[in-house]
Amino acid sequence: MSNGENLQIKNPQHTGQSQPGGGQNKNTEHRQLEAWQRTLVLCILSLAFVASFFVYARRSVDFAGYAAVGQAFFDGRDIYLDTPVGANTWPPFFSLAAVPLGLLDRVSPYFARIVWIALTWASIFWALDLIAQLLYGKRLRFRPYENSLAITSPELLIPFALTLPFLINNFELLQINMILFSLALWGLVLQAKGREASGGIALAAAAAMKVMAIAFLPYLLYRKRWRAALWMAAASLVFFFSPALFLGWPKFWSGVALWPVALRASWGAGNAHQSVYSMWDRILGYGHIPFAVPGTFMLPLSGARSAKLAWEISCAAVAVLGAIAFRGVPRPDSRWAQVEWAAVFVASTILSPLTRKPYLVVLLLPYALLYAALQSTDLDARTRRVLRTVMLVSFALSLPTLHDLIGKSLAVRLEMGSVVTYGSLIMLGGLLWYRGRANLGT
């Protein structure tokens, strides 16, 4: 498998089908049991869907900031100085994109949040549909058919369940991360299908609202996806400068100058932050022994040079390991290319100076890829064991984000010890190791 054009793995076989050799009654009973299980899971999902509107629509949290910047942009006010302190840490284009949210919030804040929750659910189903197409060549449906996967199928349900702690965090804070992840994933799917212009524009739109997706521009250049990279770069510039058409150039450039200041002010070393930078700052900057100190939700960065240097070394190490693992040239639509996307998603999120728990919904793709690999029949026992361990450990280390599950005091102590960061780094390491196996012919 040293030939890059052959860096693929077979699609895993569809699970859940009755095996030959059993009696008719046994097969019928098996199908009925599966139908009962699907009905139960579908009822639980439906209950969670309905309950989310009642539980989370009463909160303002981060959505209040989205609405505030959208209203400020629409009114012609300063999108950084005339909004609540710390509310706007996004590029100027985000304020333009948030105008509909601001206007809807003026009509009815409660209804605006209901719409936002509905959009978040839609983005989850959209991402699962894209994953179904990528990994299994099927579409997402609520009931299983020959050319579709049901929402209750293990191929989709298990990755969804493993990502659930971060999905819940997104609902709790009414954040935009799931929407942006689905948009970026769609862009990658489009460019892999040969629709470079559409794919590049979709990736640029995600990057224009939250910078982390810009990491796919150097990736596309590295993979010599010239047209997709050109479209992404050009569209990024168009999105970035588009607010000037409404604000005017003086006010636009004023906002551009204020944005990095507001962004840096949002960085921190408290348990709310789970970036590699924050991890090193807690250890080297403040001298905290992991898990030995109680959680502090918001803690400013110490400013220690040693923490910044350790973060820079970590980024360089990941870049080197990525270059080693990404040897060979997989086809844009191959499974190995998808593993590379997943690694870039995780690396750009966890290595960013600002990483909060809801950002890690990007783990949905890695979980889906590794689960699909485990269903494949051509994996050796060692690779299967490593991938299973990576999935389970990464999931176990994400559970402290559910404060009500293990208790807030223990949860924030574990978060202060960077447990979520460790879980993400383990996933990143597993993806790079798995991708590297292709270069060894395994």
Side-chain angles (χ1 to χ4, degrees):
M1 293 184 67
S2 59
N3 184 354
E5 286 300 313
N6 294 322
L7 293 181
Q8 318 178 60
I9 59 176
K10 299 178 182 179
N11 283 347
Q13 299 298 317
H14 188 269
T15 58
Q17 297 177 349
S18 299
Q19 298 297 322
Q24 182 177 358
N25 291 338
K26 183 178 179 180
N27 288 338
T28 302
E29 181 182 355
H30 182 59
R31 287 194 297 268
Q32 288 175 347
L33 180 61
E34 285 187 339
W36 175 81
Q37 291 172 331
R38 287 196 301 268
T39 301
L40 177 61
V41 171
L42 192 58
C43 287
I44 294 174
L45 290 175
S46 300
L47 180 61
F49 175 79
V50 174
S52 66
F53 291 93
F54 291 95
V55 174
Y56 300 121
R58 300 180 180 182
R59 307 179 179 210
S60 55
V61 285
D62 288 19
F63 182 81
Y66 303 164
V69 299
Q71 292 172 12
F73 190 99
F74 182 79
D75 294 338
R77 294 181 283 119
D78 193 295
I79 57 178
Y80 294 101
L81 297 180
D82 295 333
T83 52
V85 177
N88 192 355
T89 60
W90 307 287
F93 177 75
F94 182 90
S95 300
L96 172 59
V99 167
L101 302 178
L103 297 179
L104 192 59
D105 187 74
R106 280 182 173 173
V107 175
S108 171
Y110 189 77
F111 181 69
R113 294 168 202 155
I114 288 177
V115 172
W116 187 249
I117 292 169
L119 287 173
T120 302
W121 276 112
S123 68
I124 293 173
F125 294 134
W126 186 18
L128 291 175
D129 182 48
L130 291 170
I131 288 171
Q133 295 178 57
L134 278 173
L135 305 188
Y136 304 101
K138 299 182 178 183
R139 299 300 302 268
L140 171 65
R141 296 289 184 267
F142 285 96
R143 300 186 65 181
Y145 295 98
E146 182 178 355
N147 295 320
S148 67
L149 284 176
I151 188 65
T152 56
S153 64
E155 294 91 337
L156 300 179
L157 185 62
I158 289 178
F160 172 81
L162 293 174
T163 320
L164 196 57
F166 302 119
L167 292 171
I168 291 175
N169 292 155
N170 266 267
F171 281 112
E172 288 176 335
L173 298 176
L174 297 182
Q175 285 221 353
I176 195 175
N177 300 287
M178 190 64 219
I179 296 172
L180 296 183
F181 166 66
S182 299
L183 180 60
L185 181 59
W186 183 50
L188 291 168
V189 172
L190 289 174
Q191 64 84 30
K193 292 181 177 180
R195 299 172 60 183
E196 291 92 349
S198 301
I201 293 171
L203 284 166
M209 288 184 276
K210 184 166 279 191
V211 183
M212 284 180 289
I214 203 67
F216 282 102
L217 180 56
Y219 169 75
L220 292 173
L221 292 172
Y222 176 76
R223 279 292 166 228
K224 298 180 181 180
R225 303 286 293 160
W226 305 121
R227 282 176 54 84
L230 178 62
W231 276 101
M232 183 180 179
S236 295
L237 292 175
V238 171
F239 287 129
F240 182 79
F241 288 108
S242 60
L245 299 176
F246 304 91
L247 299 175
W249 288 107
K251 187 176 289 188
F252 171 76
W253 286 117
S254 174
V256 170
L258 291 171
W259 168 47
V261 177
L263 182 60
R264 289 192 188 96
S266 66
W267 301 353
N271 67 276
H273 300 83
Q274 291 296 318
S275 69
V276 171
Y277 195 171
S278 300
M279 175 192 74
W280 285 124
D281 197 56
R282 287 191 283 268
I283 297 172
L284 300 177
Y286 284 97
H288 292 333
I289 299 174
F291 312 115
V293 295
T296 302
F297 183 70
M298 297 300 293
L299 183 68
L301 290 175
S302 68
R305 175 58 187 165
S306 58
K308 185 177 181 182
L309 179 61
W311 170 66
E312 291 170 345
I313 293 173
S314 300
C315 292
V318 169
V320 171
L321 293 174
I324 294 172
F326 288 9
R327 287 175 299 167
V329 185
R331 291 203 314 267
D333 61 345
S334 71
R335 183 65 55 85
W336 294 120
Q338 294 158 15
V339 172
E340 292 179 358
W341 303 350
V344 174
F345 267 124
V346 178
S348 62
T349 302
I350 202 66
L351 293 176
S352 165
L354 176 62
T355 305
R356 291 179 177 164
K357 294 171 288 185
Y359 299 5
L360 291 166
V361 290
V362 298
L363 289 174
L364 178 62
L365 179 61
Y367 280 131
L369 281 164
L370 297 192
Y371 179 78
L374 290 176
Q375 306 313 302
S376 174
T377 58
D378 56 359
L379 278 188
D380 61 89
R382 179 170 177 260
T383 302
R384 191 179 302 276
R385 184 171 59 253
V386 170
L387 297 186
R388 185 183 295 111
T389 301
V390 166
M391 291 177 65
L392 293 177
V393 172
S394 181
F395 172 68
L397 295 179
S398 72
L399 290 177
T401 65
L402 302 176
H403 291 187
D404 294 335
L405 182 66
I406 65 174
K408 184 175 181 180
S409 178
L410 176 59
V412 296
R413 180 181 289 269
L414 292 174
E415 289 173 355
M416 197 70 179
S418 306
V419 66
V420 178
T421 312
Y422 302 148
S424 301
L425 289 174
I426 288 170
M427 175 59 77
L428 177 58
L431 290 168
L432 294 178
W433 179 83
Y434 180 43
R435 174 62 182 84
R437 302 292 289 175
N439 302 316
L440 301 176
T442 57

